[in-house]
Every structure is written in structure tokens, then in C-alpha cells.
Amino acid sequence: MGPVPEQITWALPKGRILEQATPLLAAAGVEIAPALKSVGRKLLFDLPTGERVLLVKPVDVPTYVEHGIADVGIAGLDTLLEQGRDLYEPVDLGIGRCRMAVAQPRETAGGLRRGMTLRVATKYPRCALRHYRAKGIQPEIIPLFGSVELGPITGLADQIVDLVESGETLRQNALVEVETIFEVSSRLIVNAASLRLKQPAISRIIHGLRTTVEERARKVAASQ
Amino acid sequence: MTRDELNDYDWDSAVVDTSVFNPLPIGARDLLPTTSRRRRSNRERLLRVFEGWGYREITPPLLEYFEVHARGLSADMAERCVRFIEAGTGDVVALRSDVTPQIARVIAQRVGGEVEAGDQVRLCYAATSVRLPHGRHDRSELHQVGVECVGEQTPWADAELIGLADEALSALGSTAHRFDLSHTGVGRKLIAGLDLPKAVAKELRARLGRKDRGGVVDLLGSRCAPAQVDAVAELCELYGPPAILDRARELLAGVDAGEARAALEELRAVVEVVQRQTPAVAERLLVDLGEVRGFDYYTGLRMRVWAPGASEPVVRGGRYDDMLTRYGATLPASGLAIDLDALDEALMAADSGQADAAAPATMLAVQPGEPSGAGQRRARAAELAASLRRDGQRAWICAVAEVESALRQASRRGAQGLVWFASDGSVQRWREGAEGWSQQPS
């Protein structure tokens, strides 16, 4: 299954990122706010301007785009680096900013016991493994699907690798951030076949979003 | 979907208990009869086009010594070879994972004999390569039909590949495919000129590969002169109709990158040949200067062909002038391979690429009974089957207990006619029409 000809299909992440993306998309000519209000719980709808929209779980956006079911999508760098997919990522939208970080209990912040296998709880096993291997550490990765902060508190793990935004969740659970692995933001992602077969339309989207993002950055810089 | 198509999906498979046995290794697939027949028809039509352009078919072996085969593979692909130890010698043997190194080996072995200096050799093949499944590329077998052209290093030879791919795809009814052309020299030389540490260069290639302009600027910002950063970052945007080659020329004029400029002009020369010789094909061309993957394989033109409905390129190819050097002969080489699975997806999406219609088929069902009578019925059926086959029809004989089950079986196996040899000696003729099976007057 590849792209539907002559129509641009967007895979958009349900939730917080979508709210931040909506004004950017509108500025670039893709007006989804009215449709979002009127579609109720529908996960697939067409815009009056002709585009099709799929609303999917954020972590699934790259899957839809890589398989060509959607031509373009919006996905966080955390998801992209974890999944390692074959996609184009032409525009950093500058939204959904946070960081992938290592954290551990406050009382061990001075240093972990040496000579043991480091146990790391995370929702991002590949990113975590890459990070530790680069430091010459072979950790035991303990994959979790949520509430990763519980890992060190309960003794399941020594450290966690997780997304950190304000750091408030860490503080409330007596964890401290010890290292930033990489900065995260949301990207426009594009399917490789669509970039060729729908080249003019895709180029318009890329340029529209890039211009919008750059203007925003300039305004922010000017107001500071 | 045609009725034949449905037949493939209807192949009932009994549920297997996978704790007892797994039916197939990960990445292996069966091609069932309808798909398989369409596959054969596509393969043969493509080989006929290649033959028409002077390519002669060869069949290299499925086994190679790993050390020899891997010389012609990229590092990633070498890792994905299926390997084992050869009994008696202890040498490592690999299943073929790419045909191009094999043909390079075949030709290099014959330089000075069958292949004289200055000769051009054109060979084609239909072959299956085996690769360990990897990521979403979970197919372990790659079914390809391809060509290799050895001995010429000119824009005309490169343009020939483009023309050949277009003719081959058009012969199967493809109308909406697009060529995506790049030249490894542009990105490679530009990156080489930056004198980056190896790890940074690798990361740069990864970011260029994703067209992550911001990422490229972040990576190079503090390391290189602004004009150089601009030139490399701009590669992320240099894709589209061939007119972008002019923009690329201006961009490269501003930096010290003579070899990258030469590569760009090589690509331009190829595009111009296609525009002059086959304007209709030129309409399908797109250029992508940010394409930097496949560096350890291609040396010049790199081509991918995309078609609606297929999420992978239907054709991959290009120029690999040091491929034969790896096997001891110095000859330029180029080639292309059509991915039959991706092509099938595209043709199905466009509702073309049907196999030539199969001959009409009749099933002859013989009802068992006491031995001598059954023998006589079987002999009469064999005689009828032979005469149907002489008329160009398909015919086969089955032993079946009841006429109802014979009719069901005939439908499932794609027969339009049934002849029933009952145990009482009577013969019934049945035909399948729009309303199902009906008995014909005898």
C-alpha cells in the first residue's frame, strides 16, 4: 500500500502536540481547527481544502508516514530516534520542546555503587542503549510503558532515561536529572515516495512551514 | 480485484499451533498461484525488453564465498548476508544478497578472454537475493530483474539506463512513475572538502539523508565557514525538477568545491541527453542533490524510480565504476534492477500488470468404484484430457467421490468446465457461468 494519488494525507498526533501544531499549520495554509471541532471522535476526515487527516497516537505517526499511508506527519525527535525509520525530516517545528535525560534518586546523585550492572528503566530502550554504549557502559535495560519514575523509587532500576520538560515530575519523585542526552522537538516528517510523486505539493508544505517557523523565531528573538 | 485474485486470498490455511512448529522463517513469503503467474509474466516481459536492448541473460549461482561477495557490497549489506561454513574447507559461504557483485565477478574473471579490452558487455538476469530481515524491510528475499552494462562511462550510457527503465515499466502498463536522479559525487566531494572528523561526517550524512536542514546547520555551524555551511545545508532543499540544477550551479560557484561542481555537470549532461533524445521521459525526471545514501556502492549517477502505490522504489540503479576493480578488472559499470514486489504493488494500484489470460481449463473428475470400471473411466478421461490439451486448453484428472465436491474443487482450482465420469458409466458436462455451475446437454 502506497500513497493515494493526487491527495495529501496528514498523520497528526492526537493530544498536546496537535494543539501546538494547529496554529503553525494554519499559518502554512492547512486549516484544521474548524474540522477538529466538528468531527467529534472521528479519526479520519477530509478538509475543505482537499487534504485528508488521520489522527493517530503520537508514537504511531512515523509508521503511517513510512508506509506511505500518510504523505506527511508531525512527530517528536524522541520517537524518530527511538524508531530509526527511513523518513525525511525537513523542518524542525520548534514545538513540543523537552529533552531526553538521565535521572536518578537524589540520594545517589553523588555516584552510583561501582561494580554492579547498571539497571535503567525507560520507555526508550534503543535511545538508552545507544547512550550508555557510547560511554562504554553495558546496562541492563528495563523497558516500561509508563510511570518510569517509579523505577528507581521501588528499586527496580538505578537510573531512568525519559523525557523531561519542566523537571517537576522528577522533583516530586525525589529524582535529579544527571545528564541530557539530546534536545527534543517536533518535526515535519515526509514519506520518501511522496516527496517524488507529489513533489510540488510537498515542497509547498515544507516551505510554508519553514517560513512560518522562521518568522516565529524572529519574532521571539525581537521580543527578547 | 479479479476473481483469480480472490482465489489466492481464499487459499485456506489450517491453523497451526506455533508452539509445535513455525511454518516459515521471519521474512519468508509464499507467492500463491495467481500472484506467481503474474510474477512470471512480468518477469518474462521485462527480460524481453532487456533482450531487445542487447542484454543477454545469465544465471549466477545462489552461493558465493562470503569474502568474495562482500567485496562488492556496502558494509550494511555485508552484515545482512546469510552465511554458513562450507563442509570440508571451513570457508564461509554466503547466500547471494545482491546480483551486481556476482556479475562484476563473472566479467572480471573473463577479461583477457571472452572480454577484450575496450569491449562493452551487456548482461541481464532474473534472480532472487537473500538478506537477513532488517527493520521494516522484513522481506528476506528480494526478487529482481535487472541489467548490467560494463565498459562505457559516458552520459549516453547513463541516459540509456533511464530510457531502458522507462521502456520496461511502460511495457507493463506503468504510466505515473517518476525518476529520482542524484549524483553521489556532489554530496561526497562537498563533505570531503569540509575535513570533518569521521564521526561528524557520518552524522552529517545521516542528517542530509533525512533532509534535516536545521540539523545540518547545528552540526556544522561552529566547525565550518558560513558559505560552506550554507552550501551543504542547501543540499537539503535541492530536489525537484531538473531546473534546480541551475540553482545548484550558482550555489557551488560560491565555494571551493571543484570536484562537486564536476559531479554536478556530469549529472546535468545526463539530464540533457534525456531531454534531447526522449523528451517524454525527461518530463518524468526529478533531481535530488541531497541524496547521500549508498556512498560505498555508487560512484556517479544514482537513480531510483518511484510509482504510485509502491512505498519502495520500483527501480534502483546507477553507476558503480569501482565495482569491477574490486574483482581485479578496471572497467566502468552501470546497471539497474527492478524490484518485482514493489512493481507488483504499483501495477496492482494502477489496475494494470495482469498476467496474459490463462488458457481455459477443464477438470475431469472420475468417481471411484470397483477397480476394472474405474480403470476404464480413467482411461476415457485421459483420452479426453489429451485431446483438450491438443486444442490448447488446460485439463487435469482427479478422483472425486461426489459430483458436488468435484464442482467445488473445480471452482477453487480455477477450472471453468467439469466433466464428471460417474461410477454408473454416465458422463456429465458442467460449465461455470455467472450464476454458478450448470449441467450442459451431452
Side-chain angles (χ1 to χ4, degrees):
Chain A
M1 183 70 194
V4 180
E6 316 303 333
Q7 184 183 38
I8 295 291
T9 301
W10 283 84
L12 295 175
K14 284 190 287 188
R16 204 168 46 90
I17 299 296
L18 184 58
E19 285 168 30
Q20 298 178 35
T22 305
L24 283 179
L25 289 170
V30 184
E31 191 69 71
I32 59 169
L36 277 178
K37 280 199 194 86
S38 64
V39 293
R41 292 179 171 222
K42 266 208 263 178
L43 300 175
L44 187 161
F45 53 89
D46 289 340
L47 299 178
T49 38
E51 296 92 343
R52 172 159 289 184
V53 176
L54 313 176
L55 294 181
V56 302
K57 199 172 166 174
V59 68
D60 292 332
V61 169
T63 309
Y64 280 88
V65 177
E66 191 187 31
H67 286 262
I69 304 307
D71 303 296
V72 279
I74 292 178
L77 190 61
D78 52 326
T79 310
L80 294 170
L81 288 181
E82 180 63 20
Q83 300 182 358
R85 291 176 181 278
D86 188 7
L87 291 163
Y88 294 123
E89 302 167 20
V91 187
D92 180 348
L93 298 172
I95 56 174
R97 281 194 192 281
C98 52
R99 54 195 182 275
M100 187 70 76
V102 181
Q104 66 188 49
R106 200 174 291 138
E107 63 267 24
T108 62
L112 294 166
R113 201 150 51 85
R114 290 191 175 261
M116 63 180 185
T117 303
L118 185 70
R119 292 164 309 157
V120 179
T122 185
K123 282 184 277 185
Y124 301 90
R126 284 175 67 175
C127 289
L129 196 59
R130 221 170 14 233
H131 168 71
Y132 287 101
R133 279 203 171 152
K135 298 163 65 107
I137 301 171
Q138 196 74 297
E140 180 187 342
I141 302 284
I142 304 171
L144 293 176
F145 289 95
S147 302
V148 177
E149 296 81 5
L150 266 182
I153 298 174
T154 57
L156 178 67
D158 305 304
Q159 291 188 326
I160 63 169
V161 167
D162 205 10
L163 289 183
V164 178
E165 202 176 332
S166 65
E168 190 49 37
T169 315
L170 292 183
R171 264 190 298 285
Q172 289 195 11
N173 289 288
L175 299 173
V176 287
E177 196 177 333
V178 289
E179 202 174 354
T180 299
I181 304 180
F182 54 85
E183 301 288 334
V184 172
S185 57
S186 294
R187 314 290 168 116
L188 172 74
I189 58 175
V190 179
N191 173 267
S194 304
L195 187 78
R196 273 80 203 197
L197 295 168
K198 304 179 180 181
Q199 190 265 324
I202 301 275
S203 287
R204 273 198 300 279
I205 291 170
I206 293 173
H207 289 126
L209 279 173
R210 182 171 287 146
T211 313
T212 307
V213 170
E214 282 169 1
E215 269 169 19
R216 277 198 160 193
R218 263 197 300 277
K219 270 185 206 152
V220 171
S223 68
Q224 275 168 0
Chain B
M1 204 176 287
T2 65
R3 218 205 79 192
D4 263 6
E5 226 49 64
L6 285 169
N7 277 344
D8 266 2
Y9 288 99
D10 279 351
W11 270 56
D12 289 330
S13 57
V15 175
V16 295
D17 180 350
T18 50
S19 66
V20 180
F21 92 112
N22 278 311
L24 270 181
I26 291 165
R29 308 267 162 79
D30 295 313
L31 284 189
L32 295 175
T34 311
T35 321
S36 196
R37 187 162 189 284
R38 195 173 59 240
R39 181 60 56 92
R40 165 160 57 100
S41 151
N42 288 347
R43 191 169 53 226
E44 284 173 1
R45 280 193 260 180
L46 292 169
L47 285 172
R48 265 201 300 280
V49 172
F50 295 161
E51 270 189 353
W53 286 53
Y55 292 86
R56 296 196 297 162
E57 185 179 353
I58 72 163
T59 306
L62 188 53
L63 298 182
E64 289 267 348
Y65 281 121
F66 175 67
E67 182 277 318
V68 176
H69 195 48
R71 281 187 226 172
L73 299 174
S74 67
D76 292 354
M77 212 41 89
E79 275 176 18
R80 290 175 60 194
C81 275
V82 176
R83 281 160 273 191
F84 52 90
I85 305 291
E86 187 176 47
T89 65
D91 285 327
V92 180
V93 172
L95 296 185
R96 152 175 73 219
S97 74
D98 187 358
V99 184
T100 299
Q102 296 193 295
I103 294 188
R105 173 185 58 70
V106 167
I107 294 174
Q109 280 175 309
R110 282 160 181 78
V111 169
E114 165 79 12
V115 181
E116 289 177 24
D119 272 8
Q120 259 187 55
V121 185
R122 284 181 166 78
L123 295 173
C124 65
Y125 59 87
T128 298
S129 297
V130 180
R131 300 154 172 205
L132 291 170
H134 169 74
R136 83 168 281 228
H137 303 288
D138 66 340
R139 286 186 294 166
S140 54
E141 291 180 29
L142 184 62
H143 304 280
Q144 290 177 316
V145 180
V147 304
E148 305 292 340
C149 177
V150 168
E152 189 176 335
Q153 184 188 27
T154 64
W156 296 284
D158 289 350
E160 177 182 309
L161 281 183
I162 297 169
L164 176 59
D166 186 71
E167 187 168 312
L169 294 175
S170 302
L172 293 187
S174 168
T175 53
H177 52 273
R178 289 292 216 145
F179 288 81
D180 170 23
L181 307 181
S182 56
H183 191 299
T184 50
V186 179
R188 182 188 304 187
K189 299 300 181 191
L190 212 49
I191 294 175
L194 299 177
D195 252 341
L196 297 169
K198 217 171 163 186
V200 179
K202 189 174 171 212
E203 180 60 24
L204 175 61
R205 281 202 298 274
R207 292 183 187 193
L208 271 173
R210 296 194 295 263
K211 303 204 182 298
D212 176 6
R213 189 194 167 114
V216 169
V217 173
D218 288 346
L219 187 69
L220 297 183
S222 57
R223 295 174 195 271
C224 306
Q228 284 177 318
V229 179
D230 271 358
V232 178
E234 191 69 14
L235 287 183
C236 295
E237 306 206 29
L238 286 174
Y239 61 88
I244 62 135
L245 289 169
D246 297 332
R247 237 174 83 208
R249 187 187 255 174
E250 286 166 27
L251 182 78
L252 292 182
V255 289
D256 176 28
E259 287 177 307
R261 274 202 294 279
L264 183 69
E265 294 312 313
E266 273 182 42
L267 181 57
R268 177 191 291 277
V270 176
V271 169
E272 283 173 357
V273 171
V274 178
Q275 285 169 335
R276 263 198 315 277
Q277 294 185 347
T278 45
V281 179
E283 296 288 305
R284 301 183 184 281
L285 299 187
L286 294 168
V287 177
D288 185 350
L289 297 177
E291 189 50 71
V292 289
R293 289 177 267 200
F295 261 20
D296 38 6
Y297 194 98
Y298 295 102
T299 56
L301 175 80
R302 188 167 172 227
M303 152 174 113
R304 290 188 294 177
V305 186
W306 301 86
S311 51
E312 297 274 309
V314 291
V315 184
R316 293 171 203 266
R319 175 159 292 284
Y320 18 80
D321 286 334
D322 65 2
M323 181 59 77
L324 272 89
T325 319
R326 303 178 191 194
Y327 293 95
T330 316
L331 285 169
S334 56
L336 63 81
I338 299 182
D339 177 340
L340 291 172
D341 285 318
L343 178 65
D344 210 31
E345 283 182 7
L347 293 175
M348 294 300 282
D351 219 6
S352 58
Q354 295 302 324
D356 311 318
T362 304
M363 185 172 122
L364 294 82
V366 177
Q367 189 173 32
E370 48 79 29
S372 70
Q376 276 173 19
R377 291 196 292 284
R378 192 87 191 199
R380 283 169 63 198
E383 209 173 294
L384 177 57
S387 104
L388 287 167
R389 289 182 201 125
R390 275 195 299 276
D391 293 344
Q393 296 197 30
R394 294 179 289 147
W396 62 94
I397 305 169
C398 301
V400 188
E402 298 296 337
V403 67
E404 290 78 17
S405 78
L407 291 169
R408 280 200 303 276
Q409 210 184 124
S411 291
R412 281 205 297 271
R413 305 292 174 259
Q416 301 86 38
L418 173 82
V419 183
W420 172 247
F421 295 83
S423 58
D424 64 7
S426 66
V427 175
Q428 298 173 6
R429 290 170 181 277
W430 293 77
R431 289 217 69 75
E432 193 177 29
E435 277 95 52
W437 288 96
S438 57
Q439 199 177 339
Q440 308 290 301
S442 49

